[in-house]
Amino acid sequence: MRMTGNIKKILNNYESDNPGVKANLARILMSGKLAGTGKLVILPVDQGFEHGPARSFAKNILGYDPHYHFKLAINAGLSAFAAPLGMIEAGAGTFAGQIPLIMKVNSSNSLSREKGGPSQAITGSVSEAIRLGCSAVGFTIYPGSDAALDMITEIQEIALEAKDAGLAVVVWSYPRGGE
């Protein structure tokens, strides 16, 4: 992979990270239609897990097929595809090497009654992400939630493990407060 000046400049900001992390960041930044520009688009698909499959995919029944989402991301020329363990497992072998994968290692669900302190459960691991050929792990935090400090502690521990293994780390952050 021949890197552009834009990507080299971005990677210079990650000097404290090991070569594996930088290689995986480069892999994501050099993929898809925006390859080499320093911009990226990730398709995150965890709605079936978080909101239930009917609420997420009933309007587009093709969405029930996990391969549909891999194909959508690849055909759209996106930079990476992010999903929970089960969804990644369902297509990682079939689509190996066609798009960088980000395994979301925590998830919530809409059935939870914790509206005042929404949280996430750990649903995947760094070792599973490595086994499936992922370039990164992803994690969601809810600043403002009563569980926010616990989530920040969890991502700090997971990020250390992921970076030690050469994986990049993506954090999604959605403000959630109590009632």
Side-chain angles (χ1 to χ4, degrees):
M1 160 178 42
R2 186 175 168 99
M3 282 193 280
T4 65
N6 285 337
I7 303 310
K8 288 178 184 177
K9 186 176 178 182
I10 290 169
L11 294 178
N12 284 340
N13 294 312
Y14 292 86
E15 197 57 39
S16 65
D17 282 311
N18 68 47
V21 171
K22 291 172 77 168
N24 276 312
L25 281 172
R27 189 170 290 114
I28 294 168
L29 288 163
M30 291 299 297
S31 293
K33 291 180 180 176
L34 295 175
T37 65
K39 299 174 184 176
L40 55 88
V41 176
I42 298 169
L43 174 63
V45 178
D46 57 352
Q47 294 87 351
F49 191 102
E50 297 215 12
H51 306 294
R55 184 172 162 198
S56 298
F57 307 132
K59 292 181 181 179
N60 178 7
I61 60 170
L62 297 174
Y64 285 107
D65 176 5
H67 284 193
Y68 170 81
H69 304 283
F70 281 87
K71 292 174 188 173
L72 179 64
I74 293 165
N75 292 338
L78 302 185
S79 310
F81 173 58
L85 172 62
M87 177 88 62
I88 297 287
E89 245 174 352
T94 301
F95 299 98
Q98 296 181 48
I99 189 165
L101 302 176
I102 301 169
M103 185 170 59
K104 189 168 186 287
V105 296
N106 70 336
S107 294
S108 69
N109 68 63
S110 61
L111 300 176
S112 172
R113 294 188 306 204
E114 294 183 36
K115 304 304 181 204
S119 187
Q120 300 257 332
I122 302 299
T123 56
S125 69
V126 170
S127 63
E128 289 165 321
I130 292 167
R131 175 178 60 84
L132 294 169
C134 294
S135 296
V137 295
F139 194 92
T140 299
I141 60 171
Y142 295 145
S145 163
D146 293 340
L149 296 179
D150 292 333
M151 287 185 273
I152 292 167
T153 298
E154 288 174 334
I155 185 50
Q156 192 270 341
E157 293 167 359
I158 291 169
L160 282 174
E161 182 183 357
K163 288 182 173 196
D164 282 348
L167 295 179
V169 177
V170 176
V171 176
W172 291 276
S173 179
Y174 307 101
R176 301 281 193 272
E179 294 179 24

